Amino acid sequence: MMNWLLPTQMLGGAIEAAINQALAKNINTRVPIEQLAGKHLKIHIDEIGVPITIGFSQSTAYVLTDDVESDCTISTSLKTLAELKQSQQLTELIKQEKLDIQGDLKTAQQFAQVFEQLTIDWQSEIAKHIGDVATYRLSQAFGFVQEKADFAKQQISEDFSQWLVYEKKLAVNNVEIQHFKNDVNQVSQRVNGLMQRLTKLDQQINFTKE
Amino acid sequence: MASNDQSSQNDNTTHFGYKTVEAENKASMVADVFHSVAAQYDVMNDLMSFGIHRLWKRFTIDASGVRPGNKVLDLAGGTGDLTAKFSQIVGKDGQIILADINSSMLNVGRDKLRDRGLVQNIEYVQANAEFLPFEDNTFDIITIAFGLRNVTDKDKALRSMYRVLKPGGRLLVLEFSKPEHEILNKAYDFYSFNILPKMGELVAKDGESYQYLAESIRMHPDQDTLENMMKSAGFEQTTYKNLTGGIVALHKGYKF
Ligand SMILES: C[S@@+](CC[C@H](N)C(=O)[O-])C[C@H]1O[C@@H](n2cnc3c(N)ncnc32)[C@H](O)[C@@H]1O
């Protein structure tokens, strides 16, 4: 079921859009992106499951959500992030070893320098983008998904600002993510049930036809 | 092997949607379809798939394992969605070749990518997938997204792709396939044959071309048949993944 709306790719697309929006707005400040060309930073957040890899090319960012090679990998959990003080900067965190970093530390610092200069409005950008990827239209087509999609959209717009490492906010709500996961499982079960019922009906109809 | 185009008929005919036509005419008939849809192609793609084709493509990029410096062939690349992403990732040391049989699609693609400032590592080549004009062992990755079903001799095209891949390289075929569930299959048929051509008529003023698209999707080999065709062409470690209930599948195979 999880491959229906490709939530991982949706998340990747949304993060990418959020960073690129911020880059577009920050056009006048001197964000040192050139030094990042050809470099990949991978972020592993336990609760999210898939690694998120960020790269920059010319003046835009791209995000990959598969286990691609990277120059540097940061592993952490939402729980750890939640314990961190809001005002801490990423470079500070690296110095204090609150994040596990493997690979080239310099790459991590260069990425940190870029992100510290961007004000990323995760909340509205991601909500906008998820809407964009037709969650909305699809949910109209499959009525029973609607509620869930709206729920997801709402969850993401409310909580996404706290999902990722960025300039100042590092708090996160783990419980809500667990809820979301459970909810997705439930929809998936309901859909399976529905499919089975439809198959039965279909067989009955064919039977009466004959 | 019943759904393999060529083997099920006499040697000189092939499918054009549901029609059976002389093999030598298919390429030009397909060309007409894409000449006539080129300008509205991107809009229609979004409309027809509710925007999900973007996620299918993203999935393909994720699964390709592309790295900075790679050389990639985006075959039947059309208006260049995959090329745009690959171009960013492979960077200045890498290269992307956007190849398509149709000049109108290539032109729309070139304009779009230029407008986005993507120029440094993209080359455009008009080419038929069955006769790829590249040296043996050239590419790290080949992708063909929603293109294989339009090719007249698919086996020949797969062999041609195998030839130009480097050892260790991989092919990714993203294509409409057979929905996993019979009910979904029916709903999808209804959508494809009743709604899709009407949308084509309304938006692109071209219902016939979209009728062809719907038919060509149904005539395309299902998941297992395509996997076997890839094996016959020499690919190893072949796998496929159903996306959105099997409406689309991503096949992957390696050359060693
Ligand atoms: C549905 S479009 C897909 C375009 C693009 N890959 C995408 O996913 O948006 C199919 C493309 O295949 C091209 N095509 C058809 N037959 C071909 C052949 N034998 N060799 C190369 N390209 C071909 C068409 O010109 C058209 O641009």
Side-chain angles (χ1 to χ4, degrees), chain B residues 34 41 45 57 76-78 100-102 105 127-129 145-146 150-151:
Chain B
F34 285 103
Y41 180 80
N45 249 353
K57 286 173 182 163
D100 199 288
I101 202 170
N102 189 295
M105 292 293 277
N128 185 341
F146 305 114
N150 302 301
V151 173

Side-chain angles (χ1 to χ4, degrees), chain B residues 68-80:
Chain B
N70 276 170
K71 193 159 175 170
V72 181
L73 172 63
D74 181 12
L75 187 54
T79 58

Side-chain angles (χ1 to χ4, degrees), chain B residues 26-27 30-31 34-35 37 41-42 45 53 57 74-82 98-106 112 126-132 143-153 157 174-176 212-213:
Chain B
K26 173 162 171 169
V30 170
F34 285 103
H35 281 304
V37 300
Y41 180 80
D42 286 344
N45 249 353
H53 74 102
K57 286 173 182 163
D74 181 12
L75 187 54
T79 58
D81 285 347
L82 288 174
L98 173 59
D100 199 288
I101 202 170
N102 189 295
S103 57
S104 303
M105 292 293 277
L106 272 179
K112 180 169 92 180
Q126 189 171 359
N128 185 341
E130 293 168 32
F131 310 95
L132 291 173
T143 54
I144 178 162
F146 305 114
L148 192 62
R149 70 171 185 279
N150 302 301
V151 173
T152 312
D153 189 339
L174 181 67
E175 190 52 90
F176 289 104
Y212 159 73
L213 290 186

Side-chain angles (χ1 to χ4, degrees), chain B residues 21-237:
Chain B
V21 299
E22 291 294 317
E24 58 194 60
N25 293 338
K26 173 162 171 169
S28 71
M29 293 170 89
V30 170
D32 284 345
V33 167
F34 285 103
H35 281 304
S36 70
V37 300
Q40 282 89 12
Y41 180 80
D42 286 344
V43 181
M44 283 306 291
N45 249 353
D46 273 339
L47 266 177
M48 289 175 347
S49 73
F50 305 98
I52 292 205
H53 74 102
R54 293 169 190 278
L55 299 174
W56 295 331
K57 286 173 182 163
R58 210 169 241 291
F59 189 94
T60 306
I61 303 268
D62 278 342
S64 72
V66 59
R67 281 192 255 148
N70 276 170
K71 193 159 175 170
V72 181
L73 172 63
D74 181 12
L75 187 54
T79 58
D81 285 347
L82 288 174
T83 295
K85 267 269 132 50
F86 278 133
S87 159
Q88 290 188 297
I89 302 169
V90 303
K92 60 179 183 346
D93 299 328
Q95 197 191 13
I96 314 294
I97 293 183
L98 173 59
D100 199 288
I101 202 170
N102 189 295
S103 57
S104 303
M105 292 293 277
L106 272 179
N107 287 337
V108 173
R110 189 189 330 231
D111 290 348
K112 180 169 92 180
L113 299 180
R114 275 198 192 142
D115 285 351
R116 288 209 223 152
L118 295 167
V119 282
Q120 60 167 0
N121 53 14
I122 306 176
E123 242 183 72
Y124 301 84
V125 174
Q126 189 171 359
N128 185 341
E130 293 168 32
F131 310 95
L132 291 173
F134 308 106
E135 303 266 304
D136 296 1
N137 311 326
T138 304
F139 298 100
D140 298 291
I141 296 171
I142 300 180
T143 54
I144 178 162
F146 305 114
L148 192 62
R149 70 171 185 279
N150 302 301
V151 173
T152 312
D153 189 339
K154 297 179 185 53
D155 295 305
K156 191 169 183 180
L158 287 169
R159 286 197 299 272
S160 181
M161 293 176 218
Y162 185 82
R163 180 182 65 75
V164 301
L165 260 187
K166 286 182 192 166
R170 64 230 92 132
L171 166 69
L172 293 108
V173 182
L174 181 67
E175 190 52 90
F176 289 104
S177 208
K178 190 163 185 295
E180 291 160 298
H181 203 282
E182 196 41 39
I183 297 289
L184 177 62
N185 219 347
K186 284 187 183 151
Y188 181 52
D189 267 347
F190 180 80
Y191 170 74
S192 307
F193 290 104
N194 296 285
I195 300 175
L196 206 144
K198 290 212 180 79
M199 285 194 335
E201 190 61 59
L202 279 172
V203 180
K205 310 257 177 294
D206 192 355
E208 252 180 60
S209 293
Y210 286 93
Q211 176 77 25
Y212 159 73
L213 290 186
E215 291 177 6
S216 69
I217 290 168
R218 285 318 172 287
M219 297 308 295
H220 188 72
D222 65 18
Q223 285 85 335
D224 293 326
T225 310
L226 179 55
E227 185 176 1
N228 284 329
M229 288 166 72
M230 287 173 67
K231 283 185 182 147
S232 309
F235 289 95
E236 292 179 58
Q237 286 187 17

Side-chain angles (χ1 to χ4, degrees), chain A residues 41-202:
Chain A
L41 175 75
K42 181 148 69 182
I43 303 175
H44 237 296
I45 297 178
D46 291 349
E47 292 87 339
I48 293 185
V50 280
I52 294 161
T53 302
I54 304 174
F56 287 92
S57 149
Q58 296 176 5
S59 53
T60 48
Y62 56 84
V63 169
L64 297 165
T65 45
D66 202 69
D67 218 352
V68 286
E69 271 180 32
S70 69
D71 301 275
C72 180
T73 303
I74 297 184
S75 306
T76 185
S77 67
L78 295 175
K79 192 162 158 281
T80 324
L81 294 177
E83 286 163 6
L84 299 170
K85 279 198 224 93
Q86 297 231 337
S87 60
Q88 275 171 314
Q89 303 266 325
L90 189 52
T91 33
E92 267 176 56
L93 299 176
I94 293 170
K95 280 189 211 130
Q96 293 171 15
E97 295 180 8
K98 291 200 172 165
L99 306 167
D100 178 39
I101 298 186
Q102 303 217 336
D104 178 23
L105 193 68
K106 194 157 156 255
T107 304
Q109 275 163 339
Q110 287 171 338
F111 270 89
Q113 276 166 21
V114 168
F115 280 101
E116 280 167 8
Q117 292 197 30
L118 294 178
T119 317
I120 301 183
D121 184 0
W122 295 110
Q123 188 163 325
S124 66
E125 287 310 326
I126 287 178
K128 217 193 296 170
H129 192 75
I130 297 267
D132 211 331
V133 189
T135 319
Y136 177 68
R137 263 179 292 163
L138 253 183
S139 57
Q140 278 183 325
F142 303 98
F144 60 90
V145 179
Q146 174 130 39
E147 261 180 83
K148 302 300 162 194
D150 284 350
F151 173 74
K153 194 163 148 186
Q154 195 192 331
Q155 282 302 93
I156 288 169
S157 60
E158 280 172 4
D159 292 325
F160 216 90
S161 58
Q162 300 158 355
W163 270 31
L164 290 162
V165 185
Y166 74 110
E167 199 180 338
K168 277 177 182 136
K169 290 185 195 155
L170 288 155
V172 113
N173 189 339
N174 191 17
V175 181
E176 305 232 301
I177 286 162
Q178 211 46 52
H179 272 285
F180 177 62
K181 270 193 181 166
N182 292 344
D183 241 83
V184 172
N185 284 340
Q186 271 176 22
V187 193
S188 146
Q189 276 165 14
R190 275 175 59 191
V191 173
N192 283 339
L194 205 69
M195 287 291 196
Q196 274 164 15
R197 276 171 54 198
L198 282 170
T199 315
K200 265 202 202 130
L201 266 176
D202 193 46

